[in-house]
């Protein structure tokens, strides 16, 4: 490829050379920088926290670049191996997992502690896409049953860890692929009705703290010190932001420490308070840009596997965003899902970047073939 | 007609995918629209209301941690208390120039460099809105000096808390345990809602076992604060409910006597009232002072405790695993009597060693010259090994081990302390499972004298002794005597019953145990002089390492850590037992020489005062 032509095209072509999609990359970087600024305000000007997050962001971006350079065929070949080994680890976690923050989610291998559930967020759509890739669509009942088992097995083990938020994300990822594979609308509607009917069963398997969260969601006043108070304070923060916001580092809810977990799960409330509806709409636009770009990549992809995988990864990203904003604005119960690219914390950021890397890899493959 | 059934129709698939993707995009747009509507609702339609709420959001709710329950000994002496403690805490966000603030604080309060470094380390990991302690445990003078100058220090406060204190320090280290800073693992076993505002939690011992009762119920208060987040006035509060206080069965005086009697030795002592299982003394040596742990022990001091090869943090009384040695010969005798394989009066010749049929190996007696013609009582009194090898050979492992288990060996006693170990009573099945090997007849012999695989904790030996003292009416050992408020724990708790075919066997065994002390050749004869009460006991000497055949045990020539453990179990008075004890002196040599005199001191101290 000739890198030397036309100065203003130098950067995009350089990025393309290493498979990076400039639109995706641009939106990710802007969100990352916004995140650091919000974090600075939310942490009360703690430079250490911001620095640590910046380092994470850079490292996660490097991971993305590496993944983007891997061809989709490689992912395809490794899909069953990855899925089943992560599944095995999920089963092992309740047996050997060490405990982090009240839940058995971490598997300790020597020096590194990691969450198998985190990898499952990527491994799940890969596996379901793999399963349908070589089969005639639309799926028949038998194939549908197998696919559902592949989705619900890992989701169940994550749910009992217990990690309701991640279980929902992973189930969403898998079900998205099944939906895209072309099951009939009739089946979709019946399944949806069936799930609603199964809710009491879910309640039965929930841990006390999970039930408490749902109860608190339904009646925030029932826990004035805890989650209910959090939701009330979060709504006050968002609402008081108004159209224009209170200004960076000027939100009283944030700066007087009324907001809970304002650097992690509730970071969106800080943003909403300080940047108002205009800021919120800009943020939504950025997230939507990424999602639509992801769907475009899926649409242009060359084979079933790549198509299904790209669309599903995009859908996970959107679910993160929707659930987080929904919960801090009181639309959904607090299930502990971070705002992607902005919340303080490392492990979900890496997962999301791996997802973007795969999207970019799929995107570049299409171009290579069409040239 | 369906020729193409297994071919992928690429065009159809792409069209199908396209329509589904479109559906997904519609879903995404609808969902985003929902969020946008929600935000408009919050920020525009209700915006003014929320702005008003935020402006008036002057109510801050904070938890009020409850006072931890106190702990008393059986005589009402306070052995775990709460002392007031003042800490100087800074909210970095409100403090302005932090470096300057700390520098000025140093001038008036004399703060150490280590505290400042700790503060900075902690601060970096927290939000700037959080109060972070700079100095914990301020002196009264420091408190006074700060109060005079407090207007110069916005964002700096003195917080009054209480801190746990153990007035008798190491004396109850292994009974009370200690509290320490809550970590993530602790949060898993408590109701996190009730621990908001609680900084410390029971980590070991009674403090841990009765954490739920000692902790109490957290209250909360709501305060009105001004725009800078400072308190204007208190609005309302729901007061916390203090934790329950506990009265233990432990006796301070007896505990101190036991520690003193042990001198510099390491080991453990358990004394209990055999009638109801109340633990009167529970000592594990070396011990440690739990008080430095409360405010966070320095890493170096902790490492010194942890790495000390005598393991002061280890609770030998309930977690120690010792070969019980000859202290379990009574149980071997009972197994033989029950099985009818021996007769109490029948004398047998006990030589210096024993041989199994068709086995050239010599199983040696501790007395190389043997004990001559002896009956069961003599065998217990003089602790003949050969006599019991013979009992073991006749009775067999399958009838011996169940008897050991009936006296509680091999299973936890259920005492109200965390981390108790179950010891080990081996069996054929156990050995098959553990080593995948058959049981050898020789192993029956050494198990019968409490060696080999046999392991027991001092607590289990005390329980076994109490069981004999009560003639099979085994008590359940426990430390809790009463809760305040709450009812007293009275009488026997659980405990199992050992029924023998003939109750007269109890008399045979107990008489023999008296002979251990009264008989001129008894292994416990050294403590007989001037004894004011009838004492039934049994000495034990348990091997730490095995001697090769023909090798001689010479204590003086052995490194201390290879010397035998000295054991003594006893109860008194024989006819109406009020105390049962187990003494283990690690590497103390002969039980009768080292452990028995310690046991006598404890028995005397208790019976003289009660």
């Amino acid at each position: 490829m000739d890198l030397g032509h036309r100065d203003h095209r130098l950067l995009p072509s350089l990025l393309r050379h290493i498979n990076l999609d400039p639109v995706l990359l641009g939106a990710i970087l802007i969100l990352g920088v916004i995140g650091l600024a919000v974090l600075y305000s939310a942490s009360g000007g703690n430079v250490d926290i911001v620095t640590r997050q910046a380092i994470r962001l850079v490292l996660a971006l490097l991971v993305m670049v590496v993944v983007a350079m891997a061809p989709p065929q490689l992912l395809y070949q490794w899909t069953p191996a990855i899925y089943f080994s992560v599944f095995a680890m999920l089963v092992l976690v309740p047996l050997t997992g060490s405990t982090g923050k009240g839940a058995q989610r971490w598997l300790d291998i020597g020096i590194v502690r990691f969450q198998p559930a985190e990898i499952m967020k990527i491994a799940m759509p890969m596996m379901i896409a793999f399963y349908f890739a070589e089969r005639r669509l639309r799926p028949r009942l038998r194939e549908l049953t197998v696919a559902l088992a592949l989705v619900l097995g890992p989701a169940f083990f994550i749910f009992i860890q217990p990690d309701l938020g991640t279980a929902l994300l992973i189930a969403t990822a898998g079900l998205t692929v099944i939906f895209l594979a072309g099951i009939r609308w009739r089946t979709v509607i019946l399944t949806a009705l069936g799930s609603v009917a199964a809710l009491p069963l879910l309640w039965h398997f929930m841990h006390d703290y999970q039930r408490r969260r749902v109860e608190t969601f339904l009646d925030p006043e029932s826990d004035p010190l805890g989650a209910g108070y959090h939701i009330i304070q979060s709504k006050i923060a968002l609402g008081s932001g108004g159209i224009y916001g209170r200004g960076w580092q000027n939100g009283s809810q944030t700066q007087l420490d009324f907001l809970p977990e304002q650097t992690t799960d509730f970071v969106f409330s800080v943003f909403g308070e300080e940047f108002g509806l205009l800021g919120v709409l800009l943020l939504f636009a950025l997230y939507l840009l990424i999602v639509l770009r992801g769907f475009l990549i899926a649409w242009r992809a060359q084979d079933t596997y790549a198509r299904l995988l790209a669309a599903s990864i995009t859908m996970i990203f959107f679910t993160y965003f929707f659930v987080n904003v929904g919960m801090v604005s009181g639309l959904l119960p607090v299930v502990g899902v971070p705002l992607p690219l902005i919340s303080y914390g490392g492990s979900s950021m890496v997962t999301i970047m791996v997802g973007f890397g795969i999207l970019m890899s799929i995107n570049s493959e299409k171009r290579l073939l069409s040239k | 007609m369906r020729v193409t059934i297994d071919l992928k129709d690429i065009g159809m698939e792409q069209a199908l995918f396209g329509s589904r993707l479109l559906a997904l995009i519609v879903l995404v747009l609808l969902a985003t629209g929902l969020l946008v509507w929600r935000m408009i609702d919050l920020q525009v339609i209700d915006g003014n209301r929320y702005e008003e709420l935020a402006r008036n959001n002057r109510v801050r709710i904070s938890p009020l941690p409850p006072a931890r329950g106190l702990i008393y000994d059986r005589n009402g002496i306070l052995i775990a208390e709460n002392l007031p403690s003042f800490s100087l805490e800074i909210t970095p966000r409100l403090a302005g120039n932090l470096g300057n603030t700390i520098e000025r604080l140093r001038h008036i309060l004399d703060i150490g460099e280590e505290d400042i470094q700790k503060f900075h380390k902690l601060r970096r990991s927290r939000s700037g809105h959080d109060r972070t302690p700079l100095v914990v445990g301020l002196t009264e003078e420091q408190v006074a000096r700060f109060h005079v100058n407090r207007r110069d220090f916005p964002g700096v406060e003195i917080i009054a808390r209480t801190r746990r204190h153990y007035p008798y320090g190491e004396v109850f280290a292994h009974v009370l345990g200690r509290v320490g800073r809550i970590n993530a693992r602790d949060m898993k076993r408590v109701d996190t809602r009730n621990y908001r505002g609680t900084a410390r939690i029971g980590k070991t011992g009674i403090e841990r076992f009765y954490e739920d009762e000692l902790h109490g119920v957290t209250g909360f208060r709501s305060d009105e604060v001004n725009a800078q987040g400072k308190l204007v006035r208190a609005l309302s509060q729901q007061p916390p409910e203090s934790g329950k206080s506990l009265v233990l069965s432990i006796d301070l005086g007896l505990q101190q006597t036991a520690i003193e009697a042990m001198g510099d030795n390491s080991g453990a002592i358990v004394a209990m009232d055999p009638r109801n299982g109340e633990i009167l003394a529970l000592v594990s040596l070396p011990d440690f002072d739990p008080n430095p742990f409360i405010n966070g022990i320095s890493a170096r001091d902790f490492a010194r405790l942890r790495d000390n090869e005598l393991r002061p943090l280890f609770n030998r009384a309930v977690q120690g695993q010792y070969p019980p040695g000859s202290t379990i010969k009574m149980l071997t005798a009972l197994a033989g009597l029950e099985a009818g394989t021996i007769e109490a009066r029948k004398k047998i010749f006990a030589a210096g060693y024993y041989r199994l049929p068709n086995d050239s190996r010599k199983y040696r007696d501790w007395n190389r010259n043997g004990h001559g013609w002896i009956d069961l009582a003599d065998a217990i009194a003089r602790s003949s090994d050969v006599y019991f090898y013979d009992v073991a050979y006749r009775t067999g492992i399958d009838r011996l081990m169940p008897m050991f288990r009936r006296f509680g060996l091999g299973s936890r006693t259920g005492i109200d302390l965390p981390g108790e170990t179950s010891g080990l009573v081996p069996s054929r099945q156990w050995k098959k499972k553990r080593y995948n090997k058959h049981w050898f007849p020789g192993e029956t012999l050494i198990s019968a004298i409490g060696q080999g695989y046999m392991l027991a904790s001092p607590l289990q030996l005390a329980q076994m002794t109490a069981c004999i003292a009560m003639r099979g009416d085994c008590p359940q050992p426990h430390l809790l005597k009463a809760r305040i408020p709450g009812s007293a724990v009275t009488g026997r708790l659980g405990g199992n019953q050992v029924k023998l075919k003939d109750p007269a066997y109890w008399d045979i065994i107990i008489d023999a145990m008296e002979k251990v002390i009264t008989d001129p050749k008894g292994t416990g004869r050294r403590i007989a002089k001037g004894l004011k009460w009838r004492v039934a006991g049994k000495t034990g000497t348990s091997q730490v390492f095995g001697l090769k055949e023909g090798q001689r045990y010479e204590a003086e020539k052995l490194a201390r850590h290879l010397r035998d453990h000295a054991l003594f179990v006893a109860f008194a008075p024989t006819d109406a037992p009020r105390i049962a004890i187990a003494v283990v002196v690690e590497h103390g040599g002969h039980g009768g020489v080292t452990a028995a005199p310690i046991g006598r001191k404890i028995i005397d101290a208790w019976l003289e005062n009660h």
Side-chain angles (χ1 to χ4, degrees):
Chain A
M1 194 186 284
D2 181 10
L3 294 176
H5 66 300
R6 292 277 182 83
D7 288 343
H8 69 277
R9 296 190 57 97
L10 181 64
L11 186 63
S13 59
L14 180 72
L15 289 175
R16 287 220 166 86
H17 191 61
I18 51 170
N19 293 352
L20 295 184
D21 179 47
V23 178
L24 264 186
L25 185 65
I28 291 167
L29 287 178
I30 294 171
L31 278 177
V33 171
I34 291 176
L36 293 180
V38 179
L39 203 55
Y40 183 81
S41 173
S43 65
N46 189 324
V47 181
D48 287 50
I49 285 182
V50 176
T51 314
R52 241 176 287 160
Q53 180 77 346
I55 292 170
R56 275 192 199 129
L57 196 63
V58 171
L59 289 179
L61 278 167
L62 286 177
V63 171
M64 180 188 80
V65 171
V66 172
V67 176
M69 288 195 283
Q73 290 86 347
L74 192 70
L75 283 176
Y76 180 79
Q77 284 157 6
W78 281 91
T79 295
I82 294 172
Y83 172 87
F84 284 107
S85 50
V86 176
F87 193 4
M89 281 188 265
L90 277 177
V91 179
L92 283 179
V93 164
L95 306 176
T96 62
S98 51
T99 303
K101 249 201 170 179
Q104 292 206 324
R105 297 173 189 175
W106 303 83
L107 194 71
D108 215 328
I109 45 160
I111 27 173
V112 198
R113 290 201 316 158
F114 73 102
Q115 288 177 287
E118 209 48 62
I119 313 174
M120 199 39 120
K121 286 175 188 163
I122 301 292
M124 170 66 70
M126 280 168 69
M127 185 62 205
I128 310 301
F130 177 89
Y131 180 73
F132 285 124
E134 292 304 319
R135 283 172 174 79
R136 196 183 61 97
L137 300 179
R138 29 179 105 218
R140 281 158 297 188
L141 186 64
R142 196 174 58 83
E143 287 158 346
L144 195 62
T145 317
V146 174
L148 274 177
L150 289 172
V151 175
L152 298 180
F156 173 75
F157 278 99
I158 293 164
F159 173 68
I160 62 169
Q161 278 188 4
D163 188 351
L164 181 60
T166 308
L168 285 176
L169 279 172
I170 283 170
T172 307
L175 294 176
T176 304
V177 183
I178 297 179
F179 173 75
L180 288 168
I183 53 166
R184 294 179 191 285
W185 281 105
R186 206 176 51 200
T187 323
V188 175
I189 292 162
L190 281 176
T191 314
L193 290 177
S195 323
V196 173
L199 281 181
L201 198 69
L202 188 74
W203 178 263
H204 176 75
F205 279 110
M206 275 185 182
H207 278 248
D208 280 346
Y209 85 87
Q210 290 171 330
R211 288 183 187 175
R212 230 178 282 140
R213 279 177 176 176
V214 178
E215 281 167 4
T216 309
F217 167 66
L218 297 174
D219 177 17
E221 305 289 339
S222 71
D223 183 11
L225 263 176
Y229 175 74
H230 292 175
I231 292 172
I232 294 167
Q233 294 299 344
S234 173
K235 278 161 74 173
I236 293 176
L238 287 170
S240 66
I243 298 175
Y244 304 105
R246 311 280 293 268
W248 188 52
Q249 286 196 291
N250 269 329
S252 65
Q253 289 288 102
T254 304
Q255 304 306 328
L256 294 183
D257 204 18
F258 283 108
L259 269 178
E261 310 205 25
Q262 49 191 23
T263 58
T264 53
D265 287 358
F266 284 83
V267 74
F268 179 75
S269 313
V270 176
F271 181 84
E273 180 181 33
E274 298 191 344
F275 296 95
L277 184 65
L278 292 181
V280 166
L281 291 178
L282 173 78
L283 198 74
F284 283 10
L286 282 167
Y287 279 107
L288 213 51
L289 176 67
I290 292 178
V291 171
L292 293 176
R293 185 74 181 175
F295 284 149
L296 183 68
I297 290 172
W299 171 244
R300 289 195 203 144
Q302 290 301 300
D303 58 57
T304 310
Y305 176 74
R307 268 201 296 270
L308 295 178
L309 182 56
S312 170
I313 284 173
T314 307
M315 202 57 196
I316 296 182
F317 179 76
F318 178 75
T319 311
Y320 258 113
F321 160 75
F322 179 76
V323 171
N324 178 273
V325 176
M327 79 186 194
V328 301
S329 61
L331 276 179
L332 299 171
V334 178
V335 287
V337 170
L339 185 65
L341 298 173
I342 293 189
S343 281
Y344 182 70
S347 59
S348 72
M349 170 127 48
V350 173
T351 315
I352 287 163
M353 289 297 193
V354 168
F356 286 138
I358 294 174
L359 280 181
M360 290 178 178
S361 152
I362 289 171
N363 190 37
S364 62
E365 184 207 33
K366 175 227 92 206
R367 242 188 350 269
L368 287 177
L369 288 173
S370 58
K371 263 176 193 168
Chain B
M1 178 183 130
R2 292 265 183 150
V3 184
T4 59
I5 191 159
D6 287 312
L7 292 178
K8 288 175 71 78
D9 182 338
I10 289 175
M12 181 281 249
E13 281 192 6
Q14 187 137 24
L16 184 63
F17 179 78
S19 73
R20 285 303 151 95
L21 196 59
L22 204 62
L24 222 50
I25 290 171
V26 171
L27 181 71
V28 162
L29 290 177
L30 282 177
T32 310
L34 182 68
L35 293 182
V36 170
W37 168 77
R38 179 67 175 173
M39 295 316 292
I40 291 173
D41 189 36
L42 284 174
Q43 300 194 299
V44 183
I45 298 171
D46 278 342
N48 289 335
R49 186 166 71 87
Y50 280 117
E51 210 181 316
E52 185 70 21
L53 277 175
R55 207 177 310 125
N56 295 329
N57 200 354
R58 299 284 166 77
V59 180
R60 174 171 289 162
I61 299 174
S62 37
L64 295 172
R68 197 170 175 83
L70 307 176
I71 306 177
Y72 302 90
D73 91 332
R74 66 186 296 119
N75 303 311
I77 298 168
L78 193 57
I79 55 177
E81 61 186 340
N82 300 322
L83 295 181
S85 160
F86 297 98
S87 61
L88 187 74
E89 309 199 350
I90 304 182
T91 311
R93 184 75 189 153
L94 303 175
N97 183 332
L98 205 54
N100 178 276
T101 301
I102 292 174
E103 196 48 47
R104 284 186 296 132
L105 281 169
R106 269 182 86 164
H107 277 292
I108 59 165
L109 295 181
D110 188 27
I111 302 165
E113 195 57 45
E114 198 180 339
D115 279 338
I116 295 173
Q117 278 170 8
K118 257 191 193 166
F119 167 79
H120 282 299
K121 207 170 153 193
L122 199 58
R123 174 184 67 86
R124 289 199 186 97
S125 66
R126 291 170 159 211
S127 159
H129 304 294
D130 287 349
R131 274 201 304 244
T132 304
L134 176 63
V135 190
V136 283
L138 289 174
T139 62
E140 274 176 42
E141 197 198 329
Q142 283 175 311
V143 173
R145 272 206 232 153
F146 177 77
H147 270 294
V148 174
N149 296 289
R150 72 175 189 274
R151 292 190 184 285
D152 303 337
F153 294 101
V156 184
E157 298 156 275
I158 285 191
I159 307 292
R161 300 179 196 279
T162 59
R163 108 188 123 80
R164 200 62 155 175
H165 180 248
Y166 306 105
Y168 296 96
E170 60 280 342
V171 171
F172 293 109
H174 290 293
V175 176
L176 295 175
R178 60 178 178 84
V179 297
R181 211 174 278 277
I182 296 187
N183 59 32
R185 193 177 305 168
D186 297 323
M187 289 308 272
K188 202 191 158 197
R189 60 185 174 96
V190 297
D191 177 1
T192 47
R193 257 200 276 191
N194 196 28
Y195 275 74
R196 244 170 238 137
T198 302
R200 291 185 177 80
I201 190 168
K203 293 283 188 180
T204 54
I206 288 286
E207 293 273 27
R208 173 165 184 158
F209 196 90
Y210 290 109
E211 171 64 29
D212 289 350
E213 297 180 54
L214 288 165
H215 180 266
V217 181
T218 300
F220 55 87
R221 58 187 280 178
S222 39
D223 296 318
E224 188 181 323
V225 293
N226 65 17
Q228 280 76 48
K230 285 190 183 159
L231 178 70
V232 176
R233 67 193 168 103
L235 293 177
S236 70
Q237 68 170 8
Q238 180 183 316
E241 237 176 77
S242 300
K244 284 182 180 171
S245 292
L246 305 179
V247 179
L248 304 185
S249 59
I250 208 96
D251 186 275
L252 171 64
L254 194 67
Q255 185 84 0
Q256 286 170 329
T257 303
I259 292 172
E260 213 172 285
M262 285 287 277
D264 291 335
N265 287 303
S266 63
I269 293 177
V270 176
M272 74 164 102
D273 187 331
R275 293 167 298 181
N276 51 23
E278 287 180 358
I279 299 286
L280 307 172
L282 187 143
V283 170
S284 171
L285 291 168
D287 47 22
F288 65 98
D289 183 359
N291 286 311
F293 282 90
I294 311 299
N295 275 333
I297 189 168
S298 77
R300 199 153 51 116
D301 288 347
F302 180 69
R304 200 177 297 152
L305 282 173
R306 186 195 54 206
D307 301 336
N308 184 330
E309 59 178 20
L310 291 174
R311 302 176 68 197
L313 297 173
F314 178 65
N315 190 346
R316 293 163 159 80
V318 299
Q319 297 177 316
Q321 303 269 284
Y322 300 96
S326 307
T327 58
I328 59 159
K329 280 177 179 165
M330 291 83 77
L331 308 190
T332 306
L334 283 175
L337 288 170
E338 284 275 277
T341 51
I342 55 165
E343 280 174 51
R345 302 252 174 266
K346 192 178 163 191
K347 294 202 174 191
I348 70 159
F349 186 79
Y353 60 88
Y354 184 82
R355 258 192 199 145
L356 285 166
N358 309 321
D359 187 351
S360 65
R361 193 185 151 160
K362 289 178 180 175
Y363 293 89
R364 299 173 320 111
D365 197 286
W366 65 269
N367 185 341
R368 289 169 54 82
N369 302 318
H371 301 276
W373 286 95
I374 52 173
D375 66 5
L376 174 57
D378 297 326
I380 287 179
R382 300 178 201 176
S383 203
S384 161
D385 290 333
V386 166
Y387 184 94
F388 286 100
Y389 290 149
D390 191 52
V391 178
Y393 169 65
R394 290 158 187 268
T395 311
I397 184 76
D398 299 330
R399 288 191 285 193
L400 274 175
M401 295 306 140
M403 182 60 79
F404 291 175
R405 293 214 182 84
R406 285 166 80 185
F407 283 83
L409 300 181
S411 54
R412 295 188 182 93
T413 65
I415 193 176
D416 39 2
L417 283 176
E420 192 191 356
T421 49
S422 60
L424 179 62
V425 173
S427 66
R428 287 181 206 277
Q429 295 87 338
W430 169 83
K431 195 184 174 198
K432 187 82 192 151
K433 216 172 135 188
R434 178 77 173 75
Y435 294 105
N436 196 24
K437 280 195 183 132
H438 290 294
W439 184 264
F440 297 119
E443 288 170 339
T444 307
L445 304 195
I446 56 172
S447 298
I449 63 159
Q451 297 285 163
Y453 300 119
M454 287 288 301
L455 291 173
S457 69
L459 176 66
Q460 284 174 315
L461 294 179
Q463 186 195 30
M464 170 195 84
T465 310
C467 219
I468 297 172
M470 299 307 291
R471 293 161 181 262
D473 187 10
C474 301
Q476 150 87 59
H478 61 94
L479 278 157
L480 183 65
K481 205 166 156 60
R483 299 173 173 89
I484 306 170
S487 57
V489 180
T490 49
R492 278 181 78 252
L493 289 169
N496 59 317
Q497 302 280 326
V498 179
K499 289 254 182 289
L500 298 180
K501 279 180 189 158
D502 183 353
Y505 294 158
W506 291 115
D507 300 319
I508 295 170
I509 295 299
I510 291 169
D511 289 349
M513 286 175 76
E514 274 198 286
K515 275 186 85 178
V516 168
I517 289 142
T518 56
D519 192 289
K521 286 185 178 174
T523 52
R525 62 184 179 277
R526 286 173 189 80
I527 65 164
K529 201 180 164 195
L531 206 54
K532 284 180 247 162
W533 13 73
R534 289 169 65 192
V535 177
K538 181 74 195 81
T539 62
T541 305
S542 81
Q543 279 178 15
V544 176
F545 83 122
L547 292 175
K548 291 198 185 75
E549 200 174 343
Q551 215 174 346
R552 243 179 120 158
Y553 178 85
E554 289 165 280
E556 301 72 37
K557 290 187 187 167
L558 273 172
R560 181 173 170 78
H561 69 278
L562 296 176
R563 269 185 232 164
D564 292 346
H565 295 321
L567 289 84
F568 184 62
V569 299
F571 61 90
T574 309
D575 38 0
R578 297 206 303 272
I579 183 170
I581 57 155
V583 178
V584 176
V585 182
E586 288 183 354
H587 314 299
H590 262 287
V593 179
T594 321
I598 295 172
R600 177 178 167 180
K601 279 184 197 162
I602 296 161
I603 290 172
D604 284 349
W606 185 248
L607 295 181
E608 266 160 22
N609 294 320
H610 295 80

